Structures are given as structure tokens and as C-alpha cells.
Amino acid sequence: ATQRGIGHIELGIIFALYSTAKAIGSPIVGIFLPRLGVRYALWAGLFLASGSTAIFGFLPNILDRSSFLAFSILVRVVQGCGSALYQTAGYSYITAICQDSVATTLGILEVSTSIGFMAGPLAGGFKLPFIVLSAVMFVASCIIIYILPPIASHSKSSSAKLMLNLMRIPRVVILCIGLALGITCTTFIDPSLTLHLKPLHLSKPDIGLIFLALAAAYGLFSPLAGYISDRIGFRLLTVLGFVGVAIALQFFGPAPYLHLPLTVAQTILAGMGLGASFSLAIIPSFPDILEAASNCRYCQEKGGFNTFSVTSGLFNGFVALGQIIGPIVGGTFIENSGVDFEWLSS
């Protein structure tokens, strides 16, 4: 990108477009999913994501600056729309078939997400990871359209009206804001952690190991968080998770008032604590929002598919919102305001 005269601001916008498209598209998909059908939405989302991911790997072959910029923007928007489709449809599907253990199922599903974050960098080069990931998603889309059992997704009540009414419920608003805040607390490190660790003179694989520790801890603790929350309730675990996130961030810097030296071991342990606490905070949030939606007076169909789809759309939308805010906060504060990473983390 830099060889084609793409500035840091333009590059940041290109990468932010994925989460922006996902944040806007997820609630819309949640509203129209009962009409689209789950299997079709899953297939269409994975197909769009597969094609756009493959194209992204070949963007370096475009030498013209304007064409490169235009295709980069288009590909990222299509990727975000595809993600909004398959993630919202996927959450709705597992909620419909596992209504008695939503948190546990979601926790198991998030193991796959963490494995994806860890396995992606193992494929070397620039094009190869995109080609491999595109092929996997294309195969998955074919399997889904032919093998995945259909479920009833039609609804007589208005999903759009339910979506608007849910955002008037204080419990749902607080949970959604907390969800975005939790995502922000883990994504603000993306543009700034490498600079923060510069005094340690680490290699790229070593820095990748620190990010790997966070993802691995999140994946390992997600099923446990789901299992516990299905049995003792969602609220207590969410509160404990956010307390754990706050404590882990104090040591991730580490906070200047702790007077601790910056070491690799301390950063990895803090990253693992952050990932584990993050799973406790986030996994119970989805079934908590679902419970609030099902019990509110605006919900005309208790356990209806439109309730699942609207909840999934809200959840994914606010996750994407946190993915937008986090890197912006991290990059802006570190580069422009003179605030050190240690203070920002604490």
C-alpha cells in the first residue's frame, strides 16, 4: 500500500471499513433474516467472504494507485457484509437449535474463532493465507447449503419493530454498551502493542506469541464461561469478567503506579488474563440480551425465530462497533495525544 502512495489515514480507513460494514449490516441482517432464511444467509455470507478474501490476496498485483484504493475499499466492504450475514445467521441458528444451552454452545463456537486467529498467521507469505482461508470458506458454504438441516425461520411479527423496541430497554442498552466497551478493551492494543514492546527488541514471531496468548486463553475459557453461565446465571459472570479485564489491563501496561518492569513474561501472563476475563464478560452477554428480548413486553413470539435473529444482529453489531472504536482509541491516543500505552491500558 505504501508503495502505491496510500497514506496511514487511508490505510486505516480501508481496514476500518470491514467492521463498519459489519456494524451497519448485522442489525439489518437480523431484521430481514426470517425472510432470507438461515441457510441462504449462511451460504451467501460465506460465499461473499470467500470471494472477497481471495481477491484481497491479489491486490498487490494492482499497480495503479486509484484502482488499488478502489478495489481495497470494495473488497473490505464486501468482506464486512459477508461477515454480517454468516455470523448473524450462525448465531441465530445455534440459538434456535440449542435454546436450553445457548451460552455453552456459543462458548464452544468461540473456540473455532480463537483457533482461526491462531492458525491464520501460520500460513506463510501474503497471498497464501488469503487463498487458503478463501478455499475453506467456499467449501464450508457448499457444505452448509446442501447438508445443514433447515429450520423454521418465518415469523408473523415485525422484526424491525422489535429491534427498535429492544433499544428502549435499559438492560439491553447497558449490555450492548458493555459489549462494545469489552471489545474496545481488547482491540485498542492492535495498533499500539508493537510500539509499546519496542524496548524489549522482540522479533515478529515473539510479538505474535503475545497476541497468540490472548486468543488462546479466550478460546480455552469460552466453553467454561458458557457452561457456568448456563447454570448459575449470566449477570454475576459478566460482572466478574469485566472486573478481571480491568485487573488484567493494569498489568498489561503495566500501570505506572505499580512500578513494575516491562517484561515478556509479564505481558504474556497479562494477555492470558485479559483473554480469559474477556470470555467471562462477553460469552454470557449474548444469552443475557436474548433473555431480555424474550421477556420484554414488546416480544410477541416467545422463543420465536425473529427474537433470535434480532438479538444476533444487535450482538454482532455492537461487537463490530467495539472493533471500530478500539483501534481508533489506541492509535489516536498513542500517536497524537502523547498518552503512553501504560496509562491508556490502566
Side-chain angles (χ1 to χ4, degrees), residues 18 22 26 29 44-46 48-49 77-89 316 323:
Y18 170 84
K22 181 181 172 184
S26 292
V29 173
L46 286 170
L48 287 175
V77 170
V78 174
Q79 281 182 321
C81 292
S83 177
L85 274 165
Y86 72 74
Q87 287 193 10
T88 302
N316 283 309
Q323 292 170 341

Side-chain angles (χ1 to χ4, degrees), residues 13 19 35 140 161:
I13 292 174
S19 298
R35 298 181 183 180
K161 187 176 180 180

Side-chain angles (χ1 to χ4, degrees), residues 2 10 74 87 98 104 140 152 158 160 163 216 243 266 273 301 309 329-330:
T2 54
E10 293 169 314
L74 178 62
Q87 287 193 10
C98 303
T104 302
S158 171
M163 175 80 74
V243 171
Q266 160 259 322
E301 299 180 29
S309 65
V329 169

Side-chain angles (χ1 to χ4, degrees), residues 82-165:
S83 177
L85 274 165
Y86 72 74
Q87 287 193 10
T88 302
Y91 281 29
S92 302
Y93 188 88
I94 65 169
T95 304
I97 63 176
C98 303
Q99 297 184 35
D100 296 329
S101 55
V102 174
T104 302
T105 308
L106 179 61
I108 296 173
L109 184 66
E110 288 302 288
V111 174
S112 302
T113 302
S114 64
I115 291 175
F117 279 117
M118 292 185 290
L122 296 179
F126 181 83
K127 290 183 181 179
L128 184 58
F130 293 103
I131 295 174
V132 171
L133 182 58
S134 173
V136 171
M137 287 192 291
F138 179 76
V139 172
S141 69
C142 295
I143 293 174
I144 284 172
I145 199 65
Y146 287 109
I147 297 179
L148 195 70
I151 60 172
S153 59
H154 296 289
S155 177
K156 296 180 180 179
S157 59
S158 171
S159 298
K161 187 176 180 180
L162 178 60
M163 175 80 74
L164 293 175
N165 287 330

Side-chain angles (χ1 to χ4, degrees), residues 9 17 42 84 100 107 121 136 168 185 191 217 222 229 232 241 243 297 346:
I9 296 178
L17 283 173
L42 279 168
D100 296 329
V136 171
R168 296 165 54 187
C185 289
S222 289
S229 63
I232 70 171
V243 171
R297 65 179 184 273
S346 58

Side-chain angles (χ1 to χ4, degrees), residues 6-82:
I6 306 297
H8 291 290
I9 296 178
E10 293 169 314
L11 193 61
I13 292 174
I14 289 172
F15 279 94
L17 283 173
Y18 170 84
S19 298
T20 303
K22 181 181 172 184
I24 297 173
S26 292
I28 297 174
V29 173
I31 291 172
F32 290 99
L33 189 59
R35 298 181 183 180
L36 290 173
V38 180
R39 287 202 304 174
Y40 176 76
L42 279 168
W43 171 81
L46 286 170
F47 185 80
L48 287 175
S50 172
S52 56
T53 299
I55 294 173
F56 196 88
F58 288 91
L59 286 180
N61 295 338
I62 302 176
L63 302 179
D64 179 68
R65 180 187 185 279
S66 299
S67 299
F68 180 85
L69 185 61
F71 273 96
S72 298
I73 292 173
L74 178 62
V75 166
R76 292 300 285 173
V77 170
V78 174
Q79 281 182 321
C81 292

